[in-house]
């Protein structure tokens, strides 16, 4: 079933252009230039607050969505990991939509949080990969991802499919709220159609990234830095690395470095910086320079423009294609997945079945 691939995780990383395209097919009407959520009987114009709850990688997809929903639809978003959410007695007012994100649809903490939100009379929407799951049954609205079965314990293709659905959701909400014009919607649809091709371009860096594995594999600690919507990507990169390579890794908001973690930096700490060119680029680069000045060894993930501006002095660079903000995190997921994968392979760990982890966490 793995075909020519050595691991399921590798196969699933490479499936992303196809499964993301498959997923987008149910959300995008390319010829009309429209984004439409499948079979939904809900007037999104009435939604005045969104609460996002999930665990692990699905939570990081939710964090990206928070940036998107607030930026594009101007609707406030509350977000929490499921295991915290349900114990903090969160306030949920009428008119709120609670959005749960789960690959399996069986994660116990997320299910318990869903039950709580139901009691609070929220409209329950769920982004789910397994259509027959408990969560899909419990939700009022299911926004499916079509990633197909994900076998590797480290989630990869489910994540990018979740992001694709969440981008469509954010755009749809923005339209319903009158915050996105028809032209902007059509423009976004055109960009979404390019996602599979853009993902292929990102995957073309596989060998490049494999050749960087030896720079990271000996490390005891690795930091990932990102700003704005790349901050959750930094956390996702760190989670992938720690899950399968057992190297201690942390994702940080790049501006937080100087508030503590920079004390960890020396010439043995690789620092992975996610910094697409754009309004946040200069700030992230100055954080990166603070790290470099302390001997930190940087791998910069950016586009051609960003690398031309800031690549000098980095231990390595990974060049991503330029992409619309609603697409960029989907693309940047690929290099962090590949890096974690190749480091784990270099370390000889059990990539698909890492120690101590289960694919689906059905206990609270
Ligand atoms: O099935 P779910 O999306 O609800 O699972 C949530 C987490 O358990 C999951 O994303 C976990 O963090 C993965 N092992 C990450 O690679």
């Amino acid at each position: 079933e793995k075909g020519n691939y050595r691991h399921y995780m590798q196969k699933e990383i490479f499936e992303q252009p196809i499964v993301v395209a498959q997923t987008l097919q149910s959300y995008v009407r390319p010829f009309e230039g429209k984004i439409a959520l499948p079979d939904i009987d809900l007037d999104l114009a009435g939604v005045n607050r969104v609460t996002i709850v999930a665990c692990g990688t699905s939570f990081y997809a939710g964090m990206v969505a928070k940036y998107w929903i607030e930026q594009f639809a101007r609707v406030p978003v509350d977000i929490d990991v499921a295991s915290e959410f349900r114990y903090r007695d969160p306030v949920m007012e009428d008119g709120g939509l609670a959005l749960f994100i789960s690959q399996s649809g069986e994660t116990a903490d997320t299910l318990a949080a869903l039950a709580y939100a139901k009691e609070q009379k929220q409209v329950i929407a769920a982004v789910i990969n397994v259509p027959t799951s408990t969560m899909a049954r419990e939700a009022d609205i299911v926004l499916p991802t079509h990633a197909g079965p994900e076998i590797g314990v480290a989630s990869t293709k489910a994540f990018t499919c979740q992001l694709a659905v969440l981008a469509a959701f954010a755009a749809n909400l923005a339209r319903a709220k009158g915050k996105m014009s028809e032209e902007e919607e059509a423009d976004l649809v055109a960009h979404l159609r390019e996602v599979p091709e853009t993902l292929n371009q990102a995957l073309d860096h596989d060998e490049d990234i494999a050749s960087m594995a030896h720079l990271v594999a000996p490390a005891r600690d690795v930091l990932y830095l990102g700003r704005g919507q790349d901050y959750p990507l930094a956390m996702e990169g760190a989670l992938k690395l720690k899950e399968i390579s057992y190297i201690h890794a942390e994702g940080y908001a790049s501006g937080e470095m100087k508030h503590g973690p920079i004390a960890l930096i020396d010439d043995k700490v690789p620092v992975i910086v996610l910094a697409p060119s754009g309004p946040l680029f200069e700030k992230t680069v100055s954080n990166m320079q603070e790290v470099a000045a302390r001997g930190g060894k940087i791998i910069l993930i950016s586009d051609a423009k960003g690398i031309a501006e800031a690549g000098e002095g980095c231990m390595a660079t990974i060049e991503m294609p330029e992409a619309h903000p609603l697409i960029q995190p989907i693309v940047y997921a690929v290099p962090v997945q590949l890096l974690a994968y190749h480091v784990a392979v270099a370390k000889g760990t059990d990539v698909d079945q890492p120690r101590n982890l289960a694919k689906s966490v059905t206990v609270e």
Side-chain angles (χ1 to χ4, degrees):
E1 264 196 75
K2 277 182 285 203
N4 292 329
Y5 294 102
R6 193 164 156 197
H7 297 101
Y8 280 107
M9 182 186 180
Q10 186 189 28
K11 172 173 176 265
E12 289 162 0
I13 290 173
F14 278 87
E15 269 171 9
Q16 291 178 109
I18 291 171
V19 295
V20 169
Q22 226 161 265
T23 298
L24 282 170
Q25 256 171 31
S26 0
Y27 293 84
V28 173
R29 296 195 191 137
F31 300 113
E32 295 156 56
K34 295 242 166 283
I35 291 170
L37 305 181
D39 303 327
I40 284 186
D41 194 16
L42 168 75
D43 180 14
L44 287 178
V47 172
N48 51 24
R49 175 163 211 101
V50 176
T51 304
I52 302 179
V53 185
C55 301
T57 288
S58 298
F59 171 72
Y60 298 137
M63 269 186 78
V64 174
K66 174 184 164 79
Y67 287 89
W68 285 341
I69 293 169
E70 293 192 330
Q71 186 183 344
F72 291 97
R74 308 302 299 151
V75 173
V77 177
D78 182 23
I79 177 161
D80 212 341
V81 288
S83 55
E84 283 301 314
F85 176 79
R86 48 179 308 237
Y87 295 112
R88 71 173 160 91
D89 258 334
V91 181
M92 305 188 91
E93 284 162 19
D94 287 356
L97 177 119
L99 181 61
F100 298 85
I101 307 169
S102 177
Q103 188 285 128
S104 62
E106 302 296 348
T107 301
D109 282 316
T110 312
L111 279 168
L114 188 154
Y116 176 89
K118 235 182 202 181
E119 275 167 29
Q120 307 294 309
K121 308 222 170 357
Q122 303 294 293
V123 175
I124 309 290
V127 177
I128 309 277
N129 195 45
V130 180
T132 52
S133 60
T134 312
M135 218 173 294
R137 276 200 309 276
E138 296 285 320
D140 301 320
I141 296 165
V142 176
L143 300 170
T145 50
H146 301 293
E150 193 181 58
I151 311 288
V153 164
S155 184
T156 53
K157 62 176 181 170
F159 179 66
T160 42
C161 287
Q162 286 166 347
L163 289 177
V165 169
L166 292 163
F169 174 79
N172 218 253
L173 185 60
R175 281 290 287 147
K177 288 280 178 187
K179 304 288 183 201
M180 184 180 273
S181 67
E182 256 180 60
E183 293 71 36
E184 286 165 328
E185 183 182 18
D187 180 54
L188 177 61
V189 168
H191 285 292
L192 284 170
R193 291 185 70 184
E194 290 164 9
V195 172
E197 176 49 31
T198 316
L199 285 172
N200 273 319
Q201 289 170 24
L203 286 166
D204 283 343
H205 291 274
D206 182 45
E207 277 180 30
D208 251 20
I209 295 173
S211 73
M212 293 172 198
H214 74 281
L215 303 172
V216 176
R220 198 190 60 180
D221 310 288
V222 178
L223 290 180
Y224 285 74
L225 304 182
R227 208 176 251 271
Q229 57 182 21
D230 290 297
Y231 166 38
L233 261 292
M235 302 218 272
E236 168 60 5
L239 178 64
K240 284 293 89 89
L241 188 73
K242 67 186 126 185
E243 280 190 294
I244 60 170
S245 76
Y246 315 146
I247 297 174
H248 170 240
E250 295 297 335
Y252 259 96
S254 41
E256 273 293 296
M257 275 304 284
K258 53 184 161 307
H259 299 286
I262 201 161
L264 296 173
I265 300 294
D266 63 22
D267 59 6
K268 292 191 180 51
V269 183
V271 181
I272 322 294
V273 180
L274 292 100
S277 60
L280 305 181
F281 181 75
E282 294 304 326
K283 284 270 160 61
T284 306
V285 166
S286 72
N287 303 136
M288 183 178 107
Q289 281 154 353
E290 290 157 8
V291 168
R294 284 154 187 87
K297 294 277 187 296
I298 291 156
I299 298 181
L300 172 64
I301 309 178
S302 184
D303 43 47
K305 202 165 148 224
I307 289 174
E309 260 181 64
E312 223 181 272
C314 292
M315 172 168 72
T317 57
I318 306 173
E319 187 185 313
M320 290 290 105
E322 260 179 69
H324 184 282
L326 272 157
I327 284 149
Q328 179 263 318
I330 306 179
V331 179
Y332 279 55
V334 171
V336 296
Q337 294 166 349
L338 285 173
L339 186 64
Y341 174 74
H342 287 297
V343 171
V345 169
K347 296 201 77 173
T349 58
D350 187 347
V351 170
D352 286 330
Q353 288 288 331
R355 67 187 184 199
N356 308 343
L357 290 173
K359 180 66 186 159
S360 173
V361 183
T362 52
V363 288
E364 290 179 35

